[in-house]
């Protein structure tokens, strides 16, 4: 038999076999639109009944209901990653405390530990989906955390999402807790973890002001009160004063933080500690302190701590004070850079972008302006916190969600805008020495420094003549030969003129 005839006989058999295999494989393909078992939604139930949950969702039935009810602002709890991390910390501390008092099995603590580690590594944040604006005093957020951490813990220990017999959102993640103690504690932890970052940035901003103060320490300028020429000072003194004022705000934030150390974990519903094992509150605070590096302690009166909002009010107030200070400084810089030809024009801010769509050559002080915008927002957020704090009824304040959102937003904005203020504004400030010298030559305000030399009456006469003639006081002094050039030079010595003590100013 030739090779050709053999190939002709085999080919039909081969084609038939291939056709059978193809048909078999087609039959094994999933039908269009059909879900594999792993991608099918799971069914969970709660007080209100059963509900289908997407297969890829780590949240559960109570979160799903919150997602249906509260699609309000679009600002989700994961908008601030620190808040998600705070929940992982609080739930782990609670589990550790429960294990310490023998209320939780070690294998369940291990699963929660794994879930905590995953969230702290930045995973699963996209599952914390509840809107910050919600009724229920934060219950939706607490259950979002309980359900996500339970399902992450289940998968991390070889189980499937929804197999709550191995790790349950209520019985395990919420053991010895209520929303009424875990929710405010999570807010406090989130604030505490970010306060250090804000303070460090503010210290760098103050250092930037000091660096400018040192650079221009002996450059004399006119000080102003009520927008009128007052008495001389130096540019350095002005910028060092900005730095010193920020030091006070940093201290205020450090002091306000202390009001957040006492937590009501173990208070459960109203502060009576129902369903809480003996020793749990102390152990939970102890673990929170280790996890955060902050001296967290149990509140001395759990009933008071469950409705009292002092910590939030105090910290928000400290940020408001900071905002007021930053706004004042920003407004001063806007005045000092005004012009450049028809304003004060004493300093130059970095030019970041064209300032007008119609006026060529215009450059605006955009960074001090945006600092003002942020400051106004922070002041408004403080008022929101004030309203919420005083509006709670009886044994709980149901308005903590808006306090948490307002405070975390203010903290976030102040941190990022202070960094912008430092790097794109203060670090690049320069001065216009010719303008400063011109003001010193022509100002009438210098006359105050002549009181000890010429006497008050003579100085008053010089001031009147300067105003009427439009001349500068120094110009008139030279015309009348009231002082020699050496005396004028001595008079304008920054040390004598402004009381400058160089040893007082250092770059901390």
């Amino acid at each position: 038999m030739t090779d050709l005839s053999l190939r002709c006989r085999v080919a039909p058999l081969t084609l038939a076999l291939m056709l059978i295999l193809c048909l078999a494989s087609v039959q094994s393909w999933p039908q269009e639109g059909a879900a594999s078992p792993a991608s099918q939604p799971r069914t969970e139930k709660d007080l209100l009944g059963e509900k289908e949950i997407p297969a890829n969702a780590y949240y559960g039935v109570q979160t799903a209901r919150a997602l249906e009810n509260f699609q309000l602002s679009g600002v989700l709890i994961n908008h601030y990653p620190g808040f998600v991390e705070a929940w992982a910390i609080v739930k782990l501390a609670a589990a550790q405390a429960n294990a310490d008092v023998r209320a939780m099995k070690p294998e369940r603590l291990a699963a929660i530990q794994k879930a905590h580690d995953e969230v702290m590594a930045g995973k699963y944040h996209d599952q914390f989906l509840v809107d910050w604006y919600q009724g229920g005093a934060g219950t939706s957020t607490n259950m979002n955390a309980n359900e996500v951490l339970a399902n992450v813990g289940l998968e991390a220990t070889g189980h499937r999402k929804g197999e709550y017999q191995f790790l349950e959102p209520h019985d395990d993640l919420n053991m010895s807790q209520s929303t009424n103690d875990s929710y405010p504690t999570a807010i406090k932890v989130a604030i505490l973890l970010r306060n250090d970052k804000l303070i460090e940035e503010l210290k760098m901003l103050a250092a930037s002001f000091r660096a400018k103060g040192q650079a221009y320490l002996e450059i004399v300028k006119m000080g102003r009160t009520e927008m009128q020429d007052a008495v001389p000072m130096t540019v350095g003194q002005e910028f060092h004063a900005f730095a010193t004022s920020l030091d006070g705000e940093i201290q205020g934030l450090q002091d306000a933080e202390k009001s957040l150390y006492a937590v009501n974990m173990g208070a459960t519903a109203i502060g009576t500690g129902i369903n809480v094992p003996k020793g749990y509150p102390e152990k939970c605070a102890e673990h929170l302190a280790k996890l955060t590096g902050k001296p967290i302690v149990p509140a001395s009166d759990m009933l008071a701590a469950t409705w009292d909002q002092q910590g939030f009010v105090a910290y928000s107030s400290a940020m408001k004070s900071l905002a007021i200070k930053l706004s004042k400084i920003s407004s001063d810089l806007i005045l000092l850079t005004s012009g450049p030809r028809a304003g004060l024009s004493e300093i130059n801010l970095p030019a970041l972008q064209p300032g007008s769509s119609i006026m060529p050559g215009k450059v605006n002080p955009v960074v001090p302006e945006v600092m003002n915008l942020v400051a106004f927002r922070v002041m408004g957020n403080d008022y929101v916190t004030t309203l919420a704090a005083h509006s709670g009824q009886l044994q709980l304040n149901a308005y903590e969600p808006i306090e948490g959102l307002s405070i975390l937003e203010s903290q976030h904005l102040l941190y990022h805008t202070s960094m912008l203020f430092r790097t794109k504004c203060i670090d690049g400030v320069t001065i216009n020495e010719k303008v400063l010298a011109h003001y010193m030559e022509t100002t009438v305000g210098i006359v105050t420094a002549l009181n000890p030399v010429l006497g008050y009456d003579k100085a008053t006469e010089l001031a009147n003549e300067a105003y009427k003639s439009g001349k500068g006081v120094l110009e008139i002094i030279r015309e009348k030969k009231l002082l020699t050039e050496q005396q004028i030079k001595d008079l304008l010595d920054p040390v004598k003129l402004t009381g400058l003590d160089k040893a007082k100013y250092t770059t901390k």
Side-chain angles (χ1 to χ4, degrees):
M1 184 180 296
T2 65
D3 290 342
L4 178 60
S5 62
L6 178 62
R7 284 198 297 270
C8 290
R9 290 186 180 185
V10 172
L13 294 173
T14 304
L15 289 172
L17 180 60
M18 291 176 63
L19 181 60
I20 291 170
L21 291 173
C22 287
L23 288 172
S25 65
V26 168
Q27 289 175 351
S28 69
W29 292 346
Q31 298 298 310
E32 185 175 356
S36 66
S39 64
Q40 290 180 353
R42 65 184 187 274
T43 300
E44 295 190 14
K45 66 179 181 178
D46 61 5
L47 172 69
L48 302 182
E50 293 186 341
K51 191 169 189 60
E52 284 195 345
I53 308 299
N56 63 347
Y58 285 83
Y59 59 78
V61 59
Q62 291 203 40
T63 302
R65 295 197 192 281
L67 295 179
E68 291 177 348
N69 294 332
F70 304 122
Q71 294 287 342
L72 299 174
S73 70
V75 182
L76 311 183
I77 59 174
N78 64 15
H79 186 75
Y80 299 106
F83 188 51
V84 174
E85 293 169 3
W87 276 106
I89 290 170
V90 169
K91 294 300 176 178
L92 176 60
Q96 290 171 329
N98 279 312
D100 288 344
V101 298
R102 301 180 183 276
M104 177 174 284
K105 296 178 180 179
E107 60 269 21
R108 303 213 171 195
L109 169 59
I112 294 171
Q113 175 76 63
K114 289 180 178 180
H116 160 275
D117 295 347
E118 292 283 273
V119 170
M120 295 301 289
K123 300 178 182 178
Y124 304 103
H125 285 215
D126 62 339
Q127 298 296 305
F128 291 77
L129 296 171
V130 176
D131 198 299
W132 266 99
Y133 288 83
Q134 57 185 268
T139 298
S140 296
T141 298
N142 183 31
M143 287 310 303
N144 194 170
N146 287 334
E147 291 171 345
V148 170
L149 290 166
N151 282 308
V152 171
L154 284 169
E155 285 195 343
T157 51
H159 302 290
R160 293 197 300 268
K161 292 191 286 289
E163 291 188 328
Y164 295 138
Q165 67 270 31
F166 301 107
L167 191 65
E168 214 279 331
H170 287 94
D171 295 337
D172 296 314
L173 271 300
N174 207 57
M175 181 184 286
S176 306
Q177 300 161 63
S178 160
T179 295
N180 302 348
D181 55 10
S182 62
Y183 189 84
T185 301
I187 296 174
K188 288 179 179 181
V189 168
I191 295 169
L192 289 170
L193 292 178
R194 295 300 181 271
N195 192 43
D196 288 344
K197 287 184 63 177
L198 175 58
I199 287 172
E200 285 307 307
E201 178 51 46
L202 292 171
K203 287 180 178 178
M204 288 191 283
L205 177 58
S208 180
F209 277 113
R210 283 197 176 87
K212 290 298 169 184
Q214 285 301 110
Y216 303 126
L217 189 57
E218 298 184 58
I219 304 298
V220 181
K221 60 162 287 180
M222 279 305 300
R224 298 175 181 85
T225 58
E226 299 169 89
M227 292 303 296
Q228 306 297 305
D229 292 0
V231 295
M233 64 186 302
T234 74
V235 176
Q237 287 174 319
E238 189 167 38
F239 275 77
H240 273 292
F242 291 150
T244 301
S245 70
L246 288 178
D247 290 341
E249 301 305 325
I250 291 168
Q251 186 63 54
L253 288 171
Q254 291 170 331
D255 292 341
E257 175 183 294
K258 298 174 184 177
S259 64
L260 300 169
Y261 293 155
V263 299
N264 68 330
M265 289 296 285
T268 65
I270 64 171
T272 58
I274 190 171
N275 297 337
V276 171
K278 182 178 175 59
Y280 166 84
E282 293 76 16
K283 286 292 183 181
C284 191
E286 182 181 317
H287 286 295
L288 282 171
K290 289 179 181 177
L291 290 166
T292 62
K294 299 290 184 178
I296 292 175
V297 295
S300 59
D301 186 326
M302 290 290 186
L303 281 157
T306 303
W307 60 259
D308 190 356
Q309 308 295 291
Q310 182 202 12
F312 298 141
V313 171
Y315 188 80
S316 178
S317 179
M319 287 195 294
K320 179 187 72 173
S321 180
L322 169 63
I324 292 169
K325 193 67 58 67
L326 289 170
S327 180
K328 194 275 181 192
I329 293 171
S330 295
S331 295
D332 282 357
L333 295 178
I334 290 170
L335 284 172
L336 292 172
T337 195
S338 60
R341 300 292 176 84
L344 296 182
S345 193
E346 291 190 356
I347 66 172
N348 304 303
L349 304 183
L352 298 183
Q353 60 190 66
S356 174
S357 61
I358 188 173
M359 293 174 280
K362 190 171 187 286
V363 177
N364 295 327
V366 291
V367 175
E369 287 174 346
V370 78
M371 179 59 84
N372 268 328
L373 295 183
V374 166
F376 303 157
R377 180 69 175 191
V378 172
M379 295 175 206
N381 282 344
D382 179 67
Y383 186 55
V384 170
T385 299
T386 300
L387 290 174
H390 102 288
S391 297
Q393 298 88 27
L394 302 178
Q395 279 68 59
L396 178 67
N397 191 309
Y399 307 112
E400 286 174 346
I402 195 61
E403 294 177 67
L405 175 59
S406 296
I407 292 171
L408 291 180
E409 181 189 45
S410 293
Q411 195 181 48
H412 176 88
L413 287 172
L414 286 169
Y415 171 75
H416 287 284
T417 314
S418 294
M419 186 185 301
L420 172 71
F421 197 34
R422 170 175 60 86
T423 58
K424 293 204 171 184
C425 184
I426 307 308
D427 285 349
V429 167
T430 59
I431 63 171
N432 295 320
E433 288 196 56
K434 289 183 178 180
V435 172
L436 294 169
H438 171 71
Y439 289 154
M440 287 300 299
E441 283 285 334
T442 58
T443 183
V444 177
I446 192 73
V447 77
T448 304
L450 297 174
N451 285 347
V453 181
L454 301 176
Y456 181 83
D457 289 340
K458 189 63 176 178
T460 301
E461 289 179 15
L462 286 172
N464 285 334
E465 185 174 347
Y467 281 128
K468 291 177 181 177
S469 66
K471 297 178 180 179
V473 169
L474 293 179
E475 183 181 356
I476 296 172
I477 287 173
R478 288 188 174 100
E479 287 179 355
K480 295 181 177 293
K481 299 186 184 331
L482 296 175
L483 296 172
T484 66
E485 285 300 319
Q486 184 58 47
Q487 287 175 309
I488 292 173
K489 182 179 178 181
D490 291 341
L491 176 70
L492 296 180
D493 183 335
V495 175
K496 296 179 181 178
L497 191 62
T498 68
L500 177 65
D501 180 0
K502 298 178 187 178
K504 177 182 175 182
Y505 298 106
T506 58
T507 52
K508 295 183 180 179

